[in-house]
Amino acid sequence: HNILISLLIIQNVGGPIKSISVINTAGVWSLNGTLIDLGNDYRRHMSGGSLIIRNLDKDQDTGVYQCTAFNKWGSILSRQASLQFAYLDKFKIQTARSAVNVREGQGVVLLCGPPAHSGELTFTWIFNEYPYFVQQDNRRFISQETGSLYIAKVEPTDVGNYTCVVNNTITREKVLSSPTPLVLRNDGVMGEYEPKIEVHFPDSVPAAKESAVKLECFALGNPVPEISWRRTSGVPFPSKVKMKNSNAVLEISNFQQEDAGTYECIAENRRGKNAVRGRISFHAKPHWLQTMTDTALSIEENLFWECKASGKPKPSFSWLKNGEQVMAEGRVQIENGALSIAVLNLSDSGMYQCVAENKHGIIHSSAQLMVLGKIDSLPLLLSCLSVSRSGSEVTLECKPEASPPAISLWKKGNEILQRNERISLLPNGTLKITNVTRQDAGSYTCIAKNQFGTATTTGKLLITDPTRITMRPTNMEIIVGESIVLPCQIARDPALDVSFSWAFNGQLIDFQRDSDHFERVGGSISGDLMIRNIQLNHGGKYVCVIDTDVESLSTSAILVVKGPPGPPDKVTVEEITDSTAQLSWTPGRDNGSPITGYIIQARTPFTVGWQAVDTVPEVVNGNMLTATVVGLNAWVEYEFRVVARNTVGLGEPSPASSKTRTEDAIPDTAPTDVGGGGGTRSELVITWEPVSEELQNGEGFGYIIAFRPVGTVTWTRAVISTPGVARYIFRNDTIPPFSPFDVKVGAYNNRGEGPFSSIASVYSAEEVPSVAPKKVKARSVSAVQIEVIWEALPAIPERVLGYEVVYWEDDTKPDTVGKVRISGNYTLVNITGLNANTVYYLSVAAFNTAGPGPQSAAINTTTKKPPPDRSPLNIQWTMIGSTLTLHWDPVVAMEAESKVTGYLVLLKRHRYNDINTILTNKTTVELSLSASDNYLIQIKAMSEGGEGVGSEPIHIHQLSEFTVLFPSTYHYLFDQL
């Protein structure tokens, strides 16, 4: 009994024919309360209690199924199972839907109107044509309740045709509506207006326990409204509550009692706001709190059964006997979940079910009532095999369930046992033998009688030798991470079955669940326990329990696991200055090995992770719980933590202390990398590396710049109050160009001035060269390269650091301007990366740190036509001895290409990894190759425009294996090698 079946099958009636199987014990089945006649039904049959239906039919098979299981003790009903069929009809055949005319800025709702269906639907909308789907955002929303499309504020880009797509999630069918055109009216733009909530949830929403609840809320409005949610109770949303689709959907997963209440959706824009409310109520299907159990009572006794169930709404109760409704009358009384029957008789025996039901579900609890009136109605309880050891006491139970009570006697073999000093017959039928000897072994029979009959049962008593433990586990200490075997071995009588089990700190070890660490090893007389990768929590008492048919033995050991210390706690900054911090902490667990010392670590916004810091005393031993951290930076926010160590190793760090800022102080770090120079006329440019925020030591940080002409005494000072600035420009018309200055930079903050950097020499800005280069010439070298030459400038007052060549294709195309600089006194430069067959204009100027001087007069030249973009074809070769002869077809240039002037043969030797090149104006060449090397050969056409495209490589492998090779025979062979 206790058969509980729940079934919900959603089946597609379209497409291939399918079958279903409902698993149950043997019994009969009904559909919609009517017994199914399986004898005359070719589509339905039973197999082992399962109901199998073939060739499913929507009209014949839809409904509620229930199984009745029965045996000689009675019958019970299963829970009801509902079989339904999902489908999705097509939209009714219709012409195009009427156009929807709206003003720009107005909100609109496009209705979907899904066709007839069964099963859950989802909705999407196509804009104009597949696969362009409407994308949901704060302005557009598709309701999964109605399928309608909502546009809060129409924009010109929304104009077009909209098609509703309906999907059945069970059958995976998809149907499309006719398009709905959306058209803008030409009578003006819609003005701003307050939100109008078009999508909202009902005033009352029932929600089942552990279900997922989705509430929809969307508003039209101009400007586009913003959606927000709250609970009217003021309780904030837990993390499981999610907002989706720009807050248009609120989703509550795993709904529980505490989630019930009133929810409010608010739509708001600058024109106003609106809100809707609804209450979500908690519902739950029935759940058993108390059920009845199988009961055996004697004739004329009274029965009282009570079952209790929770649920919302509160469930109602009913009772079944053998599948039939129990009615309250006479001896039978029913009150809610309680059933009482007075003065039982044999006809009251059977299978009973308590049924609890509310609108969310129905549950059954089953139990058997046996009214006893004869002795053979129940079995006697006696083991088929009893064992004992010499000298022990053995008890053989014989407790027949009989009404009225039975009288018992015992036989050993065929001899009736009599009471004596070692044999006792107890009133409840139990036989007890003390000081057992091997002569007591044999077959024992218990005979029970009452007025209804006689019942017997027989067992065998074996006498065995005592079991001894031969190897025991011992107390041990072990380091975390190691492995160990705890022995537990015995000597036993061969007639006994033995089993081993282990308990850890009073709990039985589950070797299957804890297989990562625990394993039983050894044979039938060994229960050794292997513990792998021991952890701290494995320390404790281990007990080996040996169970035989006769006795139970045990042996134990204490395992101490030593590991690194646990994390210290409560790290506190007791006192802090600009460079020190006084810390205290509490110790963590020593994990079996005394703590020998502590390491202090600190973290700031400027460090990468945690860093060890210096302390006083330098070494913090294990007995200390305070230390002073030194060498801290002023005005920096610090966190501290403490790590303990012992002989095993370093432990886990403590939680971090509260963030604490050191006191401020005068800067003690000067800026570095002081330099400068450059700039424009009458400028002195001074640069430095800024002081990091970590070293600024306080608020109001800035820089003091001091400078003087070399050879003078008085410093000029300037102040910059921006910490991140790394550059200062002093402008004065009296500054001579390119004159040296002594420069130093210091730092300050609200506490005062800090140190200055060392003095650096910086030159003032120089003047650009005043003369342009002369005799500028250019020639085209190839399709992508031009060579430019000019005459070096004579000595002029200004410095010349080099020359700058500017080139361009056309004055009307600024993006074609390029620039090449060359430092030193060079007067030639190659410009590469140019376009083929293109006119380029060029100009040259001298430059120094102040920039370029005047440009020379522009000249122009044209790059060469590009080389042919075809490689040599029809390459043939012969080899005689070590001489390779190559032939190929000539490459003919097109009109827009440079003429071919010759050919370039590239010969790469693998052994030396070098490349030799051979130029020829012919289409044939002879090469002398080494017989002991591998070669790779490639041929390119040459032209004024440069190298052409290379041929496919020819691979020549060691020639020593061959003497004479011919192209028609070996060309393919070499390529494949």
Side-chain angles (χ1 to χ4, degrees):
H1 54 277
N2 293 332
I3 298 168
L4 303 177
I5 293 179
S6 177
L7 170 68
L8 175 62
I9 296 179
I10 307 296
Q11 189 75 41
N12 183 3
V13 293
I17 298 298
K18 300 180 180 179
S19 65
I20 63 170
S21 176
V22 182
I23 300 175
N24 201 343
T25 59
V28 295
W29 286 85
S30 63
L31 171 58
N32 297 328
T34 302
L35 191 66
I36 299 175
D37 185 1
L38 298 177
N40 297 318
D41 194 333
Y42 75 95
R43 293 188 309 109
R44 300 186 182 105
H45 73 276
M46 284 182 61
S47 175
S50 301
L51 173 63
I52 300 173
I53 308 174
R54 295 189 175 89
N55 302 327
L56 286 169
D57 181 89
K58 176 182 176 183
D59 295 328
Q60 296 185 54
D61 298 324
T62 299
V64 176
Y65 289 78
Q66 194 166 29
C67 172
T68 303
F70 57 87
N71 60 18
K72 66 177 183 177
W73 305 111
S75 59
I76 57 173
L77 298 180
S78 71
R79 285 191 295 183
Q80 296 176 339
S82 176
L83 176 60
Q84 302 172 4
F85 292 82
Y87 67 92
L88 177 62
D89 287 349
K90 297 186 179 301
F91 281 94
K92 293 181 180 179
I93 298 175
Q94 58 183 10
T95 58
R97 297 188 176 186
S98 301
V100 177
N101 295 273
V102 293
R103 291 178 179 174
E104 181 182 347
Q106 184 179 354
V108 71
V109 180
L110 302 182
L111 303 180
C112 178
H117 63 275
S118 176
E120 183 181 0
L121 301 181
T122 61
F123 301 90
T124 54
W125 284 76
I126 295 173
F127 181 51
N128 287 333
E129 61 183 13
Y130 181 84
Y132 299 102
F133 286 91
V134 173
Q135 301 300 313
Q136 298 187 75
D137 51 27
N138 67 330
R139 197 172 60 85
R140 292 169 293 190
F141 175 67
I142 300 171
S143 170
Q144 296 304 311
E145 296 291 336
T146 65
S148 298
L149 168 62
Y150 300 81
I151 303 177
K153 173 190 170 187
V154 173
E155 296 178 353
T157 55
D158 296 323
V159 172
N161 290 321
Y162 291 82
T163 303
C164 180
V165 182
V166 185
N167 294 272
N168 190 309
T169 60
I170 304 300
T171 67
R172 301 187 182 278
E173 292 176 290
K174 178 190 297 182
V175 295
L176 280 68
S177 71
S178 298
T180 300
L182 181 63
V183 180
L184 277 186
R185 290 166 53 176
N186 56 10
D187 56 350
V189 178
M190 184 75 171
E192 294 186 353
Y193 62 96
E194 69 178 12
K196 179 184 179 185
I197 297 179
E198 287 288 344
V199 181
H200 58 82
F201 47 98
D203 294 337
S204 178
V205 180
K209 180 181 180 182
E210 298 178 354
S211 65
V213 179
K214 292 183 181 180
L215 305 180
E216 292 185 342
C217 182
F218 191 76
L220 312 183
N222 185 3
V224 175
E226 292 186 359
I227 304 296
S228 61
W229 296 81
R230 73 180 193 94
R231 293 183 70 169
T232 58
S233 63
V235 176
F237 291 134
S239 59
K240 70 177 180 178
V241 176
K242 306 297 181 185
M243 310 293 181
K244 299 182 178 179
N245 295 2
S246 300
N247 288 0
V249 177
L250 180 141
E251 184 173 309
I252 308 172
S253 59
N254 189 25
F255 190 86
Q256 299 295 329
Q257 178 75 57
E258 60 268 20
D259 298 319
T262 301
Y263 287 71
E264 183 177 55
C265 166
I266 302 108
E268 186 172 7
N269 63 14
R270 62 172 170 257
R271 285 294 178 178
K273 68 179 180 180
N274 271 310
V276 293
R277 290 183 176 182
R279 179 168 183 80
I280 307 179
S281 55
F282 178 80
H283 284 222
K285 64 182 180 182
H287 173 73
W288 287 122
L289 301 176
Q290 175 183 322
T291 59
M292 68 280 196
T293 59
D294 292 341
T295 301
L297 295 173
S298 298
I299 291 176
E300 298 183 354
E301 286 190 295
N302 298 325
L303 169 72
F304 180 80
W305 267 335
E306 185 176 21
C307 52
K308 298 178 182 179
S310 63
K312 192 169 182 181
K314 185 177 180 180
S316 60
F317 297 90
S318 59
W319 288 84
L320 302 175
K321 176 189 175 185
N322 294 332
E324 301 291 336
Q325 193 79 27
V326 176
M327 306 303 294
E329 57 180 355
R331 296 183 303 111
V332 180
Q333 296 296 318
I334 297 175
E335 184 176 352
N336 291 326
L339 170 68
S340 60
I341 305 176
V343 191
L344 289 171
N345 57 49
L346 291 176
S347 64
D348 293 322
S349 296
M351 299 300 302
Y352 287 78
Q353 289 178 282
C354 179
V355 183
E357 179 178 7
N358 66 13
K359 65 181 181 180
H360 298 292
I362 181 172
I363 54 176
H364 296 68
S365 174
S366 304
Q368 181 184 8
L369 173 62
M370 290 179 288
V371 180
L372 306 179
K374 52 182 179 177
I375 195 168
D376 61 353
S377 61
L378 285 177
L380 297 173
L381 304 180
L382 178 65
S383 301
C384 294
L385 175 66
S386 296
V387 292
S388 188
R389 58 176 177 155
S390 298
S392 64
E393 179 183 283
V394 65
T395 299
L396 303 181
E397 290 188 341
C398 178
K399 296 180 179 179
E401 295 180 359
S403 181
I407 298 173
S408 301
L409 59 88
W410 283 87
K411 285 184 177 181
K412 178 185 178 187
N414 294 321
E415 180 184 352
I416 296 176
L417 288 176
Q418 302 294 328
R419 292 181 177 86
N420 58 35
E421 67 277 2
R422 291 194 309 112
I423 297 176
S424 301
L425 297 175
L426 304 182
N428 62 1
T430 299
L431 170 65
K432 181 183 291 186
I433 306 174
T434 59
N435 195 20
V436 172
T437 67
R438 288 193 176 271
Q439 286 71 30
D440 292 319
S443 178
Y444 288 80
T445 301
C446 175
I447 304 170
K449 298 180 180 179
N450 71 3
Q451 65 199 62
F452 294 101
T454 302
T456 63
T457 186
T458 300
K460 184 175 290 186
L461 177 62
L462 301 177
I463 309 301
T464 63
D465 292 329
T467 303
R468 293 181 297 105
I469 299 176
T470 58
M471 186 173 292
R472 302 172 181 270
T474 58
N475 298 340
M476 298 187 68
E477 292 184 353
I478 191 167
I479 302 299
V480 67
E482 295 181 355
S483 299
I484 194 174
V485 174
L486 298 180
C488 182
Q489 299 181 14
I490 62 169
R492 64 176 174 88
D493 191 300
L496 293 176
D497 288 331
V498 63
S499 66
F500 295 88
S501 59
W502 282 85
F504 169 51
N505 289 339
Q507 295 294 321
L508 200 64
I509 295 175
D510 186 332
F511 289 97
Q512 184 172 3
R513 185 188 62 195
D514 299 326
S515 59
D516 289 345
H517 295 286
F518 296 106
E519 182 184 357
R520 267 278 320 281
V521 295
S524 60
I525 60 171
S526 173
D528 295 352
L529 172 66
M530 174 178 281
I531 312 175
R532 299 190 190 89
N533 187 22
I534 287 179
Q535 301 302 302
L536 290 172
N537 60 358
H538 291 147
K541 184 177 182 180
Y542 289 82
V543 179
C544 176
V545 179
I546 306 106
D547 286 307
T548 69
D549 301 308
V550 177
E551 59 192 330
S552 180
L553 306 174
S554 67
T555 181
S556 64
I558 302 296
L559 186 63
V560 176
V561 181
K562 293 185 176 182
D569 197 11
K570 297 180 181 177
V571 178
T572 305
V573 179
E574 304 288 354
E575 184 179 345
I576 195 160
T577 69
D578 60 346
S579 62
T580 67
Q582 177 74 35
L583 302 184
S584 66
W585 61 89
T586 58
R589 296 169 59 91
D590 64 9
N591 290 330
S593 181
I595 296 172
T596 58
Y598 293 96
I599 297 172
I600 314 299
Q601 298 175 337
R603 178 173 66 182
T604 75
F606 313 105
T607 59
V608 179
W610 292 90
Q611 307 290 335
V613 291
D614 295 331
T615 60
V616 174
E618 184 176 352
V619 177
V620 182
N621 64 47
N623 297 321
M624 299 178 63
L625 297 177
T626 63
T628 300
V629 181
V630 297
L632 303 179
N633 294 320
W635 200 245
V636 172
E637 195 173 62
Y638 280 89
E639 292 176 276
F640 299 96
R641 71 181 187 183
V642 182
V643 182
R645 65 167 172 256
N646 60 14
T647 56
V648 179
L650 286 176
E652 291 294 318
S654 69
S657 69
S658 300
K659 293 181 180 179
T660 308
R661 186 181 292 274
T662 51
E663 295 178 346
D664 58 350
I666 295 173
D668 54 9
T669 302
T672 58
D673 293 337
V674 176
T680 59
R681 180 182 176 86
S682 302
E683 287 184 349
L684 174 63
V685 179
I686 302 170
T687 61
W688 61 90
E689 181 69 26
V691 176
S692 68
E693 184 180 350
E694 184 179 9
L695 302 176
Q696 291 174 8
N697 286 10
E699 294 183 308
F701 184 84
Y703 301 99
I704 303 170
I705 299 93
F707 54 93
R708 67 187 179 188
V710 171
T712 64
V713 176
T714 304
W715 293 90
T716 301
R717 289 165 57 104
V719 176
I720 294 179
S721 60
T722 307
V725 170
R727 179 183 179 93
Y728 172 73
I729 300 175
F730 175 70
R731 294 182 178 87
N732 193 305
D733 292 339
T734 64
I735 298 177
F738 205 65
S739 59
F741 282 78
D742 292 330
V743 174
K744 62 182 180 179
V745 181
Y748 74 93
N749 62 19
N750 290 345
R751 292 293 298 270
E753 293 186 9
F756 275 91
S757 68
S758 57
I759 297 174
S761 182
V762 177
Y763 283 82
S764 61
E766 56 186 333
E767 293 183 336
V768 298
S770 58
V771 180
K774 297 179 180 179
K775 296 184 180 180
V776 179
K777 297 179 182 179
R779 72 179 184 90
S780 175
V781 178
S782 69
V784 296
Q785 183 174 335
I786 292 175
E787 181 185 80
V788 185
I789 60 174
W790 58 90
E791 188 176 83
L793 287 179
I796 59 175
E798 301 82 24
R799 279 198 313 166
V800 175
L801 296 181
Y803 296 91
E804 176 181 275
V805 180
V806 179
Y807 59 93
W808 64 96
E809 291 182 22
D810 192 326
D811 288 337
T812 63
K813 299 179 180 178
D815 58 327
T816 65
V817 174
K819 185 185 296 183
V820 176
R821 274 192 172 186
I822 183 169
S823 298
N825 203 28
Y826 296 99
T827 59
L828 181 148
V829 70
N830 283 304
I831 304 173
T832 60
L834 304 176
N835 296 322
N837 197 25
T838 302
V839 178
Y840 281 91
Y841 298 86
L842 305 104
S843 181
V844 184
F847 73 86
N848 58 24
T849 60
Q855 292 184 341
S856 66
I859 61 172
N860 68 75
T861 188
T862 304
T863 52
K864 306 289 187 183
K865 293 181 180 179
D869 65 352
R870 298 165 301 287
S871 63
L873 300 176
N874 197 23
I875 299 174
Q876 300 183 12
W877 51 270
T878 58
M879 171 136 352
I880 299 176
S882 62
T883 301
L884 175 70
T885 303
L886 292 166
H887 299 271
W888 61 88
D889 289 347
V891 177
V892 180
M894 308 294 287
E895 182 178 352
E897 298 173 335
S898 297
K899 292 183 179 179
V900 176
T901 59
Y903 296 91
L904 179 68
V905 180
L906 293 93
L907 181 67
K908 180 178 180 181
R909 300 175 64 185
H910 284 220
R911 175 179 297 180
Y912 301 102
N913 199 27
D914 59 351
I915 299 177
N916 294 323
T917 58
I918 301 169
L919 282 171
T920 179
N921 56 5
K922 300 178 182 180
T923 58
T924 182
V925 72
E926 287 188 355
L927 304 173
S928 180
L929 307 182
S930 169
S932 61
D933 207 348
N934 299 326
Y935 292 87
L936 185 146
I937 301 172
Q938 194 176 36
I939 306 170
K940 298 181 180 180
M942 298 294 295
S943 71
E944 288 184 341
E947 297 180 5
V949 179
S951 65
E952 288 291 327
I954 300 171
H955 298 272
I956 305 295
H957 293 266
Q958 294 183 5
L959 305 177
S960 57
E961 301 177 17
F962 308 98
T963 53
V964 179
L965 304 177
F966 298 97
S968 60
T969 305
Y970 294 103
H971 186 184
Y972 175 77
L973 173 62
F974 281 128
D975 282 345
Q976 295 303 306
L977 291 173

